[in-house]
Each structure stands twice: as C-alpha cells, then as structure tokens.
Amino acid sequence: MLIRIVKLSFQEEHIPTFLDNFELMKEQIRNAPGNRFLELYQDKSNKCIFFTYSYWETEVDLDNYRNSALFDEVWTFTKKLFNAKPEAWSVDKLVTLV
C-alpha cells in the first residue's frame, strides 16, 4: 500500500472553482484502478492550502493514474488555479492506532 499526499496552494478567488471541480471529479479519482481511499483537507490557518490524501494498492497503480486521461483532465484544470508550486510525497504507512 502506498499513500500519496499532495499539497495544493490556490489563489483565494479560485478556491470555489477548485472545490466545484473536485466535487465533480472525486468519484472518478476514487474509482481509478488501484485507488482505495481519497480525502481532501483544508489547512486551518491558511484557507488557500489544501491536501489530498490517497491510498494506492501499488506504485504502478499510482503511476497508471498519473499517466491517464483522467489525471490529465484534472491536473490541466487544477494547475491553472495555483498560487504556488504543488508538493507531493509518496509514503509508506508504518503504524496505525485506532
């Protein structure tokens, strides 16, 4: 299992546009082959910063998504709204406490 965390920073006036598009695309992203979990977070102190948090069965699944028409559509739309370069991390889960 691979966890992908992506930090997205938007111009404030573009936040509603981003959220509307995320609402339209989230089910398709979540149902991409190998995707097992998807969440969107907004920073409490800076409302222009968001994070996506997703679980992928394998790195190949994530790479396949990143090379898909769906990702191209989502990313082409979203990147026009940024006010800073996005950052991304692929991490392994080491511990879970429930």
Side-chain angles (χ1 to χ4, degrees), residues 7 23 26 31 53-55 57 63 72 81 83 91:
K7 179 182 177 185
E23 184 65 27
K26 66 184 182 184
N31 291 313
Y53 185 78
S54 56
Y55 288 10
E57 284 187 21
D63 289 341
D72 186 55
L81 309 175
N83 70 1
V91 300

Side-chain angles (χ1 to χ4, degrees), residues 24-78:
L24 290 172
M25 305 304 287
K26 66 184 182 184
E27 293 295 327
Q28 292 178 69
I29 297 167
R30 171 55 187 88
N31 291 313
N35 185 291
R36 294 295 166 245
F37 183 82
L38 176 64
E39 288 185 323
L40 176 66
Y41 305 111
Q42 185 175 28
D43 189 86
K44 284 193 150 306
S45 61
N46 182 344
K47 66 182 175 181
C48 294
I49 297 175
F50 291 79
F51 297 87
T52 59
Y53 185 78
S54 56
Y55 288 10
W56 297 87
E57 284 187 21
T58 68
E59 192 165 352
V60 170
D61 290 319
L62 174 60
D63 289 341
N64 287 340
Y65 167 69
R66 292 179 65 212
N67 291 309
S68 71
L70 173 60
F71 178 82
D72 186 55
E73 180 182 354
V74 170
W75 200 245
T76 298
F77 180 90
T78 305

